[in-house]
Amino acid sequence: MTVRSSGRNRSRFRIRRTLAGLGAGALAATLSMLTLAPGVSTASSHREAPLIAGDPRADNTDVYAFTSPDRPDTVTLVASWIPFEEPNGGPNFYAFADDARYNIKIDNDGDGRPDVTYTWTFTNHVRDAANQFLYNTGVVTTLNDPDLNFSQTYDLTVTDSHKNVQTLLHNAPAAPSRVGPASMPDYASLFNEAIRPIPGGQTFAGQSDDPFFADLRVFDLLYGGDLSERGLDTLGGYNVNTVAIQVPKQVLALKGNASRNPVVGIWSTTDRRGADVTRDGRPGKDSWRQVSRLGNPLVNEVVVPLRYKDAFNTLSPDQDRTVQPVVDKVLDPILPKLIQQIYGIPAPATPRNDLFEIYLTGICAACGPIAADLNAHRLNADARLNRIVPAEELRLNMSVPPTAVPNRLGVLAGDLAGFPNGRRLADDVIDISLQAVEGAAQTGVLVPALADGDKVDTNDNGFGASFPYVPLPNTNP
């Protein structure tokens, strides 16, 4: 597989801006007609949508998908929740919600709907609620240690496109929050004990260091017009709650054939129970509903307009193409104009068919102006082209082997195993996204003025060489 870049806008892919299904009015209406459940939230990523502050345990922070470097016949999927967990956040610390469903979804035929869904649901366990306030009452050495006063177990299920559900694990233990060196002197053993086998692979649930690294002061008017004001990892020292799963490639591939059909789309969601609002204002049916969603990083932060951020997180990817205000901001994004205003770097000409390709169709020579066959669903030999729709998903071509020495800039640097072909933990998505929004994916040339990006090039903690690859959570001695 080769990636060819061209500055010519060949526009092979004609964008059909239909308003079938949800339109702008219907989307806006969802802002006021979501649920009557307590603690409602419809937001994802690091606090980027207005309602997320009310429900951080439902807040998707990041999604990663990559061919496992030490087991290249498998794919590893990682998703995290609860941003900015301060290590000393006792006495309750950080738990997955026991009234939510945490999902990682896979679309293998390109119709924007999940064909494989992995779901984690958690149960709380308290040994002594009447006479203790502590998370642990002594030194914890194992996940079933009697000194661990609070713990969580989970069920893991997989659902196929026909709604058939299979239980992979029942009452599996999650790794606890890392209380500190006095309470958990060998936290690595607790972390490793939480890695559990499943058919053909393994899974993990628990706390980890936040693997996302970035100087988020970029949101302060792009460092206030002073590019010397960069280089602080805003997420450094903070933790998140993470689920990870490693499975054989054929489990995810269309028709179970990863050789003929290597491309899959991935996103994560959170579901909560909530009552519908009837036309007369009364509570309706109590049912599970999606309150958070995340595929590609930074889409909701810097692409979706503020008015639609919350509602965007309630949609399934197959609906994305029907939401004209969001499609418009992919084709004519806000960020390049802001960069031009503050730094004088000319915004690329619109419509941005290259961004439409990266975010909504995947990259292929027949899809748009980027002259490359990389990770579009139409590259699957058994795909039905008439059923493929533009949809915001993190797309991964599983046939691309792991890179021996990964480049943090991924595909832009010629490393085809990196973002936007899936996303590895070490991919520098802030720097990649800044370059892509300035047209580098189409021209094949990095923008020199933004070459240093946010000057945060690595995570504060190193990544592991084996599953689940995420670092141990931070602790303050």
Side-chain angles (χ1 to χ4, degrees):
M1 177 184 295
T2 59
V3 172
R4 307 181 305 279
S5 296
S6 171
R8 301 188 304 274
N9 186 338
R10 296 178 292 127
S11 300
R12 291 193 181 109
F13 187 89
R14 291 187 176 275
I15 300 167
R16 299 180 60 191
R17 302 186 183 185
T18 61
L19 287 175
L22 277 178
L27 180 63
T30 65
L31 294 172
S32 58
M33 295 180 62
L34 293 175
T35 76
L36 292 181
V40 168
S41 173
T42 53
S44 66
S45 199
H46 288 76
R47 296 175 54 87
E48 102 297 352
L51 294 181
I52 196 57
D55 193 4
R57 292 195 295 176
D59 175 13
N60 291 118
T61 62
D62 286 285
V63 177
Y64 306 85
F66 51 91
T67 294
S68 310
D70 55 331
R71 294 188 59 189
D73 60 331
T74 69
V75 164
T76 294
L77 309 174
V78 180
S80 300
W81 284 263
I82 315 179
F84 299 106
E85 294 181 2
E86 208 285 331
N88 286 340
N92 295 307
F93 294 94
Y94 306 96
F96 291 97
D98 62 351
D99 55 352
R101 301 191 304 196
Y102 297 92
N103 308 297
I104 297 179
K105 300 184 176 183
I106 297 92
D107 169 20
N108 58 33
D109 59 6
D111 66 357
R113 300 173 182 174
D115 299 293
V116 182
T117 301
Y118 293 101
T119 301
W120 289 258
T121 54
F122 291 85
T123 301
N124 296 338
H125 305 275
V126 181
R127 293 182 183 272
D128 187 353
N131 301 301
Q132 290 291 344
F133 66 87
L134 291 168
Y135 190 87
N136 59 290
T137 57
V139 176
V140 177
T141 58
T142 66
L143 295 183
N144 62 358
D145 195 311
D147 286 323
L148 187 58
N149 196 39
F150 176 86
S151 62
Q152 288 193 303
T153 59
Y154 65 90
D155 289 352
L156 171 61
T157 62
V158 58
T159 305
D160 64 20
S161 59
H162 302 291
K163 308 302 181 183
N164 299 312
V165 181
Q166 177 186 359
T167 298
L168 300 180
L169 288 175
H170 177 61
N171 282 338
S177 293
R178 190 175 187 178
V179 174
S183 294
M184 299 173 179
D186 186 9
Y187 186 84
S189 66
L190 301 175
F191 187 90
N192 292 330
E193 189 182 348
I195 300 173
R196 295 286 153 152
I198 57 173
Q202 48 195 330
T203 189
F204 167 86
Q207 192 180 48
S208 75
D209 167 72
D210 190 338
F212 182 50
F213 51 95
D215 189 337
L216 294 183
R217 290 178 300 168
V218 68
F219 295 112
D220 183 14
L221 294 179
L222 302 182
Y223 311 107
D226 183 357
L227 287 178
S228 68
E229 297 293 326
R230 294 171 294 170
L232 176 66
D233 184 1
T234 308
L235 291 310
Y238 288 104
N239 300 321
V240 288
N241 278 21
T242 293
V243 301
I245 190 166
Q246 187 176 77
V247 294
K249 292 178 178 179
Q250 65 265 25
V251 172
L252 306 182
L254 176 63
K255 295 189 176 181
N257 191 329
S259 297
R260 286 177 56 82
N261 307 300
V263 175
V264 292
I266 301 102
W267 69 101
S268 67
T269 65
T270 317
D271 302 330
R272 281 201 179 279
R273 285 196 180 276
D276 295 326
V277 179
T278 62
R279 290 185 179 276
D280 59 4
R282 294 179 301 171
K285 181 181 179 181
D286 185 29
S287 60
W288 289 103
R289 58 184 57 246
Q290 179 179 305
V291 298
S292 184
R293 165 192 171 189
L294 183 60
N296 284 287
L298 304 172
V299 168
N300 211 349
E301 275 112 334
V302 301
V303 177
V304 179
L306 184 61
R307 179 180 181 183
Y308 302 109
K309 286 181 179 295
D310 295 320
F312 177 79
N313 287 291
T314 70
L315 300 179
S316 171
D318 67 292
Q319 297 172 303
D320 291 341
R321 71 194 190 282
T322 72
V323 183
Q324 198 62 37
V326 175
V327 172
D328 286 344
K329 291 307 177 185
V330 174
L331 296 168
D332 187 10
I334 301 168
L335 182 57
K337 298 175 183 178
L338 184 62
I339 292 174
Q340 178 173 312
Q341 175 186 342
I342 295 176
Y343 292 110
I345 300 171
T350 59
R352 294 298 304 277
N353 294 346
D354 56 331
L355 297 182
F356 191 93
E357 187 176 358
I358 291 170
Y359 292 131
L360 296 177
T361 67
I363 297 171
C364 73
C367 299
I370 302 175
D373 284 331
L374 184 58
N375 63 354
H377 278 97
R378 65 182 298 147
L379 300 177
N380 288 339
D382 296 318
R384 296 172 60 181
L385 299 185
N386 63 340
R387 296 189 61 183
I388 296 175
V389 300
E392 196 280 296
E393 301 173 357
L394 178 65
R395 289 174 173 82
L396 172 67
N397 186 326
M398 299 183 291
S399 71
V400 178
T403 306
V405 182
N407 190 299
R408 67 182 182 86
L409 295 181
V411 173
L412 291 182
D415 181 356
L416 304 186
F419 182 74
N421 183 31
R423 180 187 177 187
R424 300 167 301 193
L425 295 168
D427 286 339
D428 193 342
V429 296
I430 287 284
D431 287 11
I432 296 170
S433 298
L434 282 173
Q435 289 290 336
V437 82
E438 288 300 306
Q442 182 174 344
T443 65
V445 178
L446 298 181
V447 178
L450 297 175
D452 291 334
D454 64 352
K455 288 191 174 182
V456 179
D457 298 340
T458 59
N459 192 48
D460 56 325
N461 293 312
F463 299 118
S466 60
F467 182 86
Y469 308 103
V470 293
L472 298 180
N474 296 283
T475 184
N476 291 326

